[in-house]
Amino acid sequence: MISPAKGLTHLMNILVCLKQILDPELPSRDFRIDAAGRDADRNTAGLVMNIFCANALETALQFREKHGGKITVITFGVPSAEEILRKALALRVDSAVLIRSDLSQRPNPWCIARVLAAAIRKLGDFDLVLTGRESGDWGDGQTGALLAEELGRPCVSLADELKADTVNTALVRIRRQTDQGWEALEASTPLVITVTNNEHNVPRIAKTRDVMQAFRQPLTTWSLAELGVDAQSISEDLACTEVVELAIPIKQTHCEWVTGETLDDRISLLAKRIATVVQSA
Amino acid sequence: MWLAPAAQVENKVIAFRLLPTFYKGSSLTSVVVSCIFGWTGIDRAALGVLGAGQRLSRDLAYKHVGLIVGPASDALIAEATKFSDSIAVADHPLLDSYHSETTLTALTEVCKQLNPKAVLLGNDTYCQELVPRLAHRLGGSAAGDALKLSGRNETVLVTRSVYGGKAQATIKLSRAPAILWVRARAQEPAQQQALTTDLTRLTLTLEPNTKIKLVDRQTEMQGTARLEDARVIVSGGRGLGGSEPFTQLRALAEIMGGQMAASRAACDAGWVPAEWQVGQTGKKVSPQLYLAIAISGASQHIMGIADAKTIAAINLDPDAPIFQHCQFGLVEDYRQVVGPLREKLIELLA
Amino acid sequence: MNGEHATREVFWNVSQVWVMYVLLIPTMLVAGYGIYRRFRTWRRGRPEQRFDQPWVRIQFLFRHAVVQQATWQKRFAGFFHALIFWGMVNLTVATTVVLVHHDFGLPIMQGQFYLWFQSLTVDIFGALTILGLSLAAVRRWTSPSMPLVHSWEASMILILLLTILFSGFLLEGWRIAATNDPWGMWSPFGYVIAMASLSWMSIPAMQWTHAVTWWFHMGLVFGFLAWAPYTKLLHPLTAVLNLYTAPLSPIGGSLHAIDFDKNESLGVNALSSFTWKDLLDLDACTECGRCTAVCPANAVGKLLSPRDLILDLRHLSRTQDDFSKPIIDATPALSPEALWACTTCGACVESCPVSIAQMPKIVDMRRHLAMEEAVLPDTMEKAIGSLEARGHPYAGTQFSRLDWMKGLEVPQRADIQECDVLLWVGCGGALVERNQRVTRAMAQLLDKAGVNYAVLGREERCTGDPARRMGNEFLFQKLAGENIATLQRYQVKTVVTACPHCFNTLRNEYPELGGNFEVLHHSQFLERLVSEGKLSPKAQSEAKVTFHDPCYLGRQNNIFDAPRQLVQISVRPASVEMEKSREKSFCCGGGGGMSFVDEPANQRVNQERARQVLETGADVVAVGCPFCMTMLEDGVNAVRSSDPSTRPTKVLDVAELLWDSVRDQSTTF
């Protein structure tokens, strides 16, 4: 908990939702599909914190540095997801919650949003709930928005900058990316925000002392039963989307190398090929 | 409800039938809705959405409704009549420009009236944020970034790239309505069909949203057209090492009438604005020529250029993955190439 | 005359000698305080064991202090330094003889000893000292600023010493002349002065001037003795101490592990975090500047200067009373920018005549930046992040650890019962396309030689070398622990690797963490296979080859000959040496995590080394390191693209050269 900046009396209570995913840097040729053909095979790949979740966490940390507040991180996943919570603890978040998944299949965003919403109701009031814009595995980009609906709160998506209002403590100023540029918004809390990356929220690295400390910090762990999420709605959620096929696309492009005796020859040839394409375009 | 004061516009554009038949008696006919926004009009992306809607409705043997949300000029309505079986218009003073919460409320209300089996939107950032929330409010299901759509046995199947382009998934949306955003420019544009005269104006009760207030909106950062519409794109990556070389690339792009883009690494480094980013989490572009300079070509970047007609690359590393996606490539330090290449192109394109 | 009675009167012409004894007290006090002050400083450092193996240390001290092995590396400076050093040693002995003879009442200053040593030898050495000092003065006052520090102090020392020596000769000459010393000819230089003086001075004049000059000389000597501990002339004491307590490990083993269970400071950002030996290092510095002169980062115009780093630290240690104050960024030489420019090549450490450990201090300060502040250059951060998540530093690679073996049958340790040798592939050897070819050559050579070997495959992790040298000791120990566990689980005895960084870490750094294996660089192992007749190369290539010593193989582990012999075995013409080779090899620029950093275009170490390679006119530059491979290839390409007339020099690993001469194909370069 960081005390408020001068002039601010209300401390924002921030929740950042995190997801552990298959390392997106797994080389394509190591990528395998599981026997059922419904998901990626974990195989030898590592698990990492989803990059946009890391951007969201960084945004929250910067917000807390500037304006004070309290940050809780939460994840819904298999026991190994504890690793990303420890990573967040090493960045000095105030508390961490792990909701253990005992589901037999990969939860879809509907299911995740329902579980997170139940946890949020149990944890108490958050002024801001932050998620990443999408995950680097299935890339649905729905969890944040669905969570807003579950909680009945407004949602701002693709935010890349977050500031407190200096006068109205229930107000935040958000910059969000759009196709052609950006928008500046003023939004009242409570609020759900999905965060995208920009040059200001590149995730920081943890101090070693904090990394060591993080392993000793307490962690709240809940099962779905403890959250009181009813199994019926979960299975309805899971049934609403079904992966019928998962395949690795075959690429057939053959690159023709631009060759030539001298560099000048090669550039001339390249220029000709480019000009041909441009003129036919 | 959907009282249609068509008489007001009757003489201006075209003769509309009063009260479209298929709405009568609730769900006699199921519908697919393609959503067009008044503030964008019918551009290439909207044609893609309408095209996808046409094909999906044909697959499912449903009716195809073109829905115009926001300011609907007569010209826009006239244009829209070419691509769907009927037109619905949801206009309201509060929909003059985009506001996430207001637009979502409007869409929800409209969809409750139209009771569609599927709703299609484009892939701009506005559509992307509306889709899951709309699905939630309608008790349906959602999918995004649809490359291919098909309908079978009253359900919608969506093909989309997952795992950073390493795999393609086909997903069945079992709970109706299926709310989708499609990779609009990658879709075949809509075919003209017999002009529809079936127009419905929907009435909406909207209240201004006070929770989220738009303070400023900055558009057209590049001062030119949208990157997604560009015919030629020159793109730079981490290998450029800084923002300075991008001015050289821009000079190169300009003589080809092209636009600038960048890899995520270059945007994250702050060398260029985030709007330039092409890739899984950036823009999906489909130019005639995509010239990648000092971009290694991680699969996440390739996802954004999968629809480009011709990809060419200049990279020092012959093993850079970008070359696996190129039609032609030059292994060279870009510093040696960009300047002379521009000179030569000036001659060739003169 | 009979030499048995030869001697001289000690004070002869000088009266009131007691004044000298009285003056000696303040002199000793002042000098003593000067030394005590330093000693007190060293005691403020953390403990460190540096007094083990005394016999080894004495031998080391003999080589460096008495023979001055390192100082001689620079011929001219080594020459005059030896003259001064040996001269001063002789003069000190002579003074001690006088002391024993006169004050302790042991009449040793007589007879043959007096004539041969006290007169002739000392006289000659005195003259040689003057010669040495004069040469030093010429160099100091004529040479450009690098590598010397042009200070008032340095000039003053030279002037003072020259004055003392000249006045000493004058005193000797006048005494010989005035006493008509029958043994005067035994002091030839003194005798010349005696003869010259007799020609124009009267005896009483000489007596009078002698008396005055004697007090002047004595005053200067005492003054000098009192002042010396406050100048760089403390080094006769500190250098000896520093050499005796020098690290006994090769440079590659000079980083110390942090015990994370104790609440130590993680790295250094205060003088108090240094050990006493680090602080002694600072006082041992003679300001000779060799370290900066050989620093590759400095050579390409970066801010790093090991000499200035040491001198600035010394200045802080003498002017700051509070040793807990931050030192990083206190001066430009201590700025993060300078610290992050280091390739950890160890050239500074190797060049230092008094065994100062500059590079380990840089790593110590990097540790603070990386672990306490968690602020690294962006690209290094990416490499560290990748090491954490994937166990290799190549963020974004499209290769897996098995891709290099496509088409070969390479046994993986997990699949077989046992093996004699474990081939440690390394991240560079597995994940960088160019180096995959080296690994393939290596595997094929081992196959051909019938070696029962295996690789760890996916179970291999980075040894931790880049993490450690980028300052993340915590990550290093984590990776090392995982690797040691894997190697022990497979009961590995012998490890062979083509990466000198892996080699160094496995060999010098894992034992401290409990991993003891026989570790060989592939050049050593291949050379052994050839000499045992298991490989029979046919040297057919006519390529002119020059060998580039990898820092972590050569300078840091003293392996110079094995790779050279492989080159000799593999090609017909004799190889050529670069000007900077063996211990003096110039870094490729890739060590210490620097291969993960985009250097400014005009400050690239690899291009500097590439130019040195191209100067030899070689067809091939042979390397024995995956980092050198890529850095030099890039360097040669860059130099050639700006000057296409330069020779198309290829970069090949020694294993590739050998494989080309072993397999049944004619070599093509």
Side-chain angles (χ1 to χ4, degrees), chain B residues 58-136:
Chain B
R58 207 177 305 139
D59 269 11
L60 293 164
Y62 291 169
K63 210 136 219 176
H64 183 213
V65 179
L67 168 67
I68 300 171
V69 177
S73 66
D74 295 342
L76 177 59
I77 293 171
E79 180 70 13
T81 52
K82 298 173 190 165
F83 304 109
S84 55
D85 304 328
S86 70
I87 299 288
V89 175
D91 198 358
H92 189 280
L94 285 174
L95 294 176
D96 280 349
S97 71
Y98 179 80
H99 182 286
S100 57
E101 302 298 321
T102 316
T103 312
L104 177 63
T105 311
L107 261 176
T108 311
E109 218 174 290
V110 168
C111 287
K112 279 181 179 158
Q113 294 175 35
L114 298 176
N115 196 20
K117 293 285 191 213
V119 181
L120 273 57
L121 286 86
N123 59 338
D124 61 58
T125 49
Y126 297 152
C127 294
Q128 291 184 29
E129 68 180 351
L130 290 171
V131 164
R133 299 180 73 187
L134 180 61
H136 192 277

Side-chain angles (χ1 to χ4, degrees), chain C residues 485-553:
Chain C
T486 308
L487 291 170
Q488 285 174 343
R489 181 157 48 86
Y490 288 128
Q491 296 172 329
V492 171
K493 302 263 180 318
T494 306
V495 183
V496 173
T497 178
C499 174
H501 294 262
C502 298
F503 166 77
N504 179 66
T505 302
L506 286 160
R507 180 161 107 150
N508 293 321
E509 303 187 329
Y510 277 19
E512 197 179 356
L513 302 169
N516 291 288
F517 316 99
E518 184 196 15
V519 186
L520 294 167
H521 186 246
H522 72 322
S523 64
Q524 295 175 295
F525 191 70
L526 291 174
E527 197 224 352
R528 191 193 284 177
L529 292 177
V530 172
S531 63
E532 285 170 357
K534 291 181 180 156
L535 290 172
S536 7
K538 292 185 280 288
Q540 298 164 9
S541 166
E542 294 297 334
K544 187 166 134 193
V545 183
T546 186
F547 179 70
H548 162 81
D549 288 275
C551 304
Y552 276 78
L553 184 68

Side-chain angles (χ1 to χ4, degrees), chain C residues 341-362:
Chain C
C342 178
T343 66
T344 69
C345 74
C348 50
V349 180
E350 205 277 333
S351 74
C352 183
V354 296
S355 287
I356 294 170
Q358 296 92 333
M359 179 268 282
K361 287 182 194 42
I362 293 172

Side-chain angles (χ1 to χ4, degrees), chain A residues 22-63:
Chain A
L22 194 80
D23 185 358
E25 285 203 16
L26 177 72
S28 297
R29 62 189 94 184
D30 276 5
F31 184 84
R32 304 270 183 282
I33 286 168
D34 66 12
R38 296 293 176 268
D39 200 358
D41 184 18
R42 165 79 202 278
N43 197 10
T44 54
L47 298 172
V48 297
M49 189 192 293
N50 177 37
I51 178 68
F52 292 111
C53 298
N55 293 132
L57 180 56
E58 177 63 32
T59 304
L61 289 166
Q62 288 178 13
F63 184 90

Side-chain angles (χ1 to χ4, degrees), chain A residues 58 91 203-207, chain C residues 370 373-376 381 384-385 388 472:
Chain A
E58 177 63 32
L91 295 172
R204 66 188 68 190
I205 54 172
K207 297 175 181 175
Chain C
E373 293 184 14
V375 181
L376 290 93
E381 235 174 62
I384 290 276
E388 275 173 354
N472 198 329

Side-chain angles (χ1 to χ4, degrees), chain C residues 320-615:
Chain C
Q320 269 184 7
D321 199 45
D322 182 1
F323 268 31
S324 63
K325 272 194 192 162
I327 51 175
I328 294 174
D329 232 359
T331 69
L334 292 166
S335 64
E337 184 191 340
L339 298 174
W340 290 121
C342 178
T343 66
T344 69
C345 74
C348 50
V349 180
E350 205 277 333
S351 74
C352 183
V354 296
S355 287
I356 294 170
Q358 296 92 333
M359 179 268 282
K361 287 182 194 42
I362 293 172
V363 174
D364 272 339
M365 288 185 269
R366 281 184 171 191
R367 284 174 173 178
H368 174 85
L369 292 171
M371 293 193 289
E372 294 278 15
E373 293 184 14
V375 181
L376 290 93
D378 288 351
T379 47
M380 283 192 175
E381 235 174 62
K382 283 209 171 64
I384 290 276
S386 182
L387 280 169
E388 275 173 354
R390 299 163 205 111
H392 70 72
Y394 295 101
T397 181
Q398 292 296 308
F399 291 114
S400 84
R401 286 192 189 271
L402 304 183
D403 285 333
W404 65 270
M405 49 178 86
K406 207 188 268 171
L408 300 177
E409 283 192 14
V410 179
Q412 294 192 44
R413 187 60 189 83
D415 303 336
I416 58 171
Q417 285 303 306
E418 56 174 11
C419 70
D420 301 333
V421 170
L422 187 95
L423 175 62
W424 185 273
V425 177
C427 308
L431 304 174
V432 177
E433 202 275 344
R434 176 64 188 88
N435 291 304
Q436 290 176 351
R437 283 183 262 161
V438 177
T439 315
R440 289 175 69 82
M442 189 60 203
Q444 290 172 95
L445 283 165
L446 293 178
D447 258 344
K448 185 125 190 155
V451 177
N452 177 16
Y453 79 101
V455 298
L456 286 180
R458 293 192 194 276
E459 287 180 274
E460 197 180 287
R461 294 273 166 285
C462 170
T463 57
D465 161 87
R468 182 169 231 200
R469 277 151 184 89
M470 286 189 275
N472 198 329
E473 177 71 10
F474 188 71
L475 181 56
F476 161 71
Q477 291 190 16
K478 179 174 165 274
L479 291 166
E482 288 169 16
N483 281 324
I484 290 170
T486 308
L487 291 170
Q488 285 174 343
R489 181 157 48 86
Y490 288 128
Q491 296 172 329
V492 171
K493 302 263 180 318
T494 306
V495 183
V496 173
T497 178
C499 174
H501 294 262
C502 298
F503 166 77
N504 179 66
T505 302
L506 286 160
R507 180 161 107 150
N508 293 321
E509 303 187 329
Y510 277 19
E512 197 179 356
L513 302 169
N516 291 288
F517 316 99
E518 184 196 15
V519 186
L520 294 167
H521 186 246
H522 72 322
S523 64
Q524 295 175 295
F525 191 70
L526 291 174
E527 197 224 352
R528 191 193 284 177
L529 292 177
V530 172
S531 63
E532 285 170 357
K534 291 181 180 156
L535 290 172
S536 7
K538 292 185 280 288
Q540 298 164 9
S541 166
E542 294 297 334
K544 187 166 134 193
V545 183
T546 186
F547 179 70
H548 162 81
D549 288 275
C551 304
Y552 276 78
L553 184 68
R555 180 162 50 233
Q556 302 215 14
N557 280 294
N558 299 311
I559 294 162
F560 302 106
D561 296 325
R564 283 185 168 72
Q565 278 171 26
L566 278 188
V567 171
Q568 243 24 130
I569 290 163
S570 309
V571 297
R572 266 195 219 150
S575 61
V576 290
E577 287 289 350
M578 281 182 265
E579 194 193 318
K580 293 182 178 167
S581 68
R582 302 182 73 94
E583 291 93 340
K584 293 193 185 64
S585 178
F586 190 88
C587 181
C588 70
M594 290 302 290
S595 63
F596 308 110
V597 172
D598 278 330
E599 298 169 272
N602 56 347
Q603 294 187 337
R604 296 201 169 152
V605 175
N606 64 334
Q607 294 183 14
E608 179 60 31
R609 184 55 166 171
R611 275 187 282 273
Q612 296 169 13
V613 167
L614 294 169
E615 268 170 28

